[in-house]
Amino acid sequence: MVLDAQSVESLKLLILTDGKKGHENQSIAYANLLGFEYVLCKVGFSSKWRKSLSYLLDFLSLHIKIFSHSNLPKESFDCIVCTGSTTYYPAKVLGKKLGLPIIALMLPRGYKLADFKQIFALNHDNPPNCANITPLHVNISQNNPEGIFKATKPTVGIIIGGSNSHFTCSVHEIKNHFKSIAKLFPEHDLAITTSPRTNLEIDDFIQSINCKFKIIYSQNPQNPVGDFLENCTDVCISEDSTSMLSQAICWGTAKVHIMPLKSEKEDNKYHRFANFLVQNGYASWLGEPSLHVKKYELKTTLNE
C-alpha cells in the first residue's frame, strides 16, 4: 500500500463511482482485498462538453467543480479511489478540497498523471514508466459466488461477452466454439452465461441449447461467474471479456480457455492481454493444449 505512515488497519476510502459496475466493482474489490473500509460517492458530468472541458482545465492545473456528486458523508477519509474516465477529474477536485491523496485504477489517459499518489495501470494499455505507476497484468477483481449454480458432475462453464470497438462477436463464431467445446468435453455438463453486451442473435442461440444451467443476462441479470469458477472443471471465456478473464485467472479452481474472436486489427489490447495469459501459463486458447497450472497472485501484487 502506498499511504506512508498510515496504519492500514484504520484506512477508510472514499470511492468515486461513475455507476458502471465494471468500474465500481474494481474499486470495491481493491478495498476488500486490502481490508479497507469504504464509502461510495457517485460522480458524473451533466454533458459531454463538460467532461471534455475537464481535460483542458486539468492541463491548465485548474480544478473546478464542473461535475455533480452525491452527498459526501460527514466523516473523515484517508484516500480517494477512482476508476474510469468520468471519475478522475472529480477525484482531483475533491482530493484538493479534502486534502486527500488519490489512487487511480486503470490509466487516466488525457489527465496529468503526477497528481495521483498511485496508479494501478494494465500492462496491455502500455502505461508510461513513472514512479507512481504500478503495472498490473489483470483487472482488479474478487470472487463472490452467489450460490445460484452448483455442479453435480464435471461441468464446463461458458462465459460469453459481446462486440466492442475491437471485436465483432458473431453468432457464427459462437456456434463454432460450441462445436469445439462439445468435441473437447463430450462427457461434461454445460453451464452458460451471457453478459450485458451479448447481442440478441446469440441470446436466441443460447436459448435453443439444452443444457444443465444457463443465464441469459438480457432476461435475467444475474452473475454466476463466481459460481462457475468454484464449481466447474473448466471455463471457456470469449476473448473480449477482459474483466471476466481477469477474474477467472485469479480465483477459483477452473482451468481457463479463451475463445478467440476475429478482429480487423490483430494487435489490439485485448489480444495482447489474451496472449500474455497463454504465454505465461494462466490460460490456453480453446482447442490448444492446456498447460496452465497456476493462478495470478493479485493480492500479493496490490500489497507490494
Side-chain angles (χ1 to χ4, degrees):
M1 181 58 185
V2 299
L3 299 180
D4 303 327
Q6 292 276 2
S7 168
V8 296
E9 294 181 358
S10 65
L11 288 180
K12 178 173 283 189
L13 309 181
L14 176 62
I15 293 178
L16 302 189
T17 174
D18 57 8
K20 295 180 179 178
K21 285 300 180 183
H23 293 160
E24 184 178 298
N25 288 344
Q26 286 191 63
S27 296
I28 293 174
Y30 174 80
N32 287 340
L33 289 173
L34 297 180
F36 301 151
E37 295 182 61
Y38 67 87
V39 173
L40 293 175
C41 175
K42 188 171 183 180
V43 296
F45 295 95
S46 61
S47 63
K48 289 183 178 179
W49 77 263
R50 280 183 176 264
K51 183 177 179 180
S52 298
L53 178 61
S54 74
Y55 291 96
L56 175 60
L57 293 174
D58 185 60
F59 177 77
L60 297 173
S61 297
L62 298 173
H63 296 134
I64 304 168
K65 187 179 176 295
I66 60 168
F67 55 90
S68 62
H69 62 75
S70 56
N71 291 333
L72 288 173
K74 293 181 179 179
E75 54 190 290
S76 60
F77 296 94
D78 299 291
C79 182
I80 291 175
V81 174
C82 51
T83 309
S85 60
T86 297
T87 67
Y88 298 134
Y89 185 75
K92 292 190 177 197
V93 176
L94 294 175
K96 184 177 180 180
K97 176 183 177 181
L98 301 174
L100 297 176
I102 307 165
I103 294 177
L105 310 185
M106 305 197 307
L107 187 65
R109 292 191 185 278
Y111 294 106
K112 291 181 179 180
L113 304 181
D115 294 330
F116 297 94
K117 176 73 173 179
Q118 186 82 9
I119 299 169
F120 290 99
L122 294 172
N123 262 334
H124 62 259
D125 282 332
N126 295 322
N129 185 17
C130 299
N132 64 336
I133 293 181
T134 299
L136 290 179
H137 292 299
V138 299
N139 290 49
I140 297 174
S141 66
Q142 58 187 343
N143 204 45
N144 293 320
E146 296 188 8
I148 56 179
F149 168 74
K150 183 72 175 179
T152 56
K153 62 174 287 188
T155 301
V156 178
I158 303 174
I159 302 168
I160 302 169
S163 299
N164 59 25
S165 59
H166 293 276
F167 294 109
T168 299
C169 187
S170 70
V171 68
H172 175 73
E173 282 185 297
I174 296 302
K175 285 181 178 179
N176 285 338
H177 288 319
F178 269 79
K179 291 177 183 178
S180 299
I181 292 167
K183 291 178 181 178
L184 291 168
F185 305 99
E187 303 300 322
H188 283 58
D189 279 343
L190 298 182
I192 308 169
T193 186
T194 62
S195 76
R197 287 185 291 106
T198 308
N199 65 47
L200 293 177
E201 195 174 11
I202 295 174
D203 281 353
D204 289 342
F205 167 65
I206 301 303
Q207 188 71 62
S208 71
I209 295 174
N210 182 22
C211 64
K212 186 74 174 181
F213 176 90
K214 60 186 169 187
I215 283 183
I216 297 175
Y217 190 89
S218 62
Q219 301 173 10
N220 180 15
Q222 290 184 291
N223 182 3
V225 173
D227 296 295
F228 286 9
L229 299 181
E230 295 291 342
N231 287 277
C232 296
T233 61
D234 300 77
V235 290
C236 302
I237 305 175
S238 57
E239 187 180 358
D240 63 284
S241 303
T242 303
S243 60
M244 289 185 279
L245 282 169
S246 294
Q247 184 179 348
I249 70 159
C250 292
W251 309 106
T253 57
K255 293 181 179 180
V256 181
H257 308 266
I258 303 173
M259 297 184 287
L261 299 175
K262 291 181 180 178
S263 173
E264 292 183 4
K265 185 179 179 182
E266 287 300 320
D267 184 28
N268 61 62
K269 65 179 184 179
Y270 297 90
H271 201 65
R272 290 195 297 271
F273 174 63
N275 274 329
F276 168 83
L277 300 186
V278 172
Q279 292 165 6
N280 288 274
Y282 298 111
S284 63
W285 293 107
L286 181 64
E288 295 185 0
S290 180
L291 303 176
H292 63 290
V293 293
K294 59 184 178 181
K295 293 289 181 177
Y296 184 80
E297 296 294 335
L298 176 59
K299 188 174 181 178
T300 300
T301 304
L302 293 177
N303 274 310
E304 289 176 350

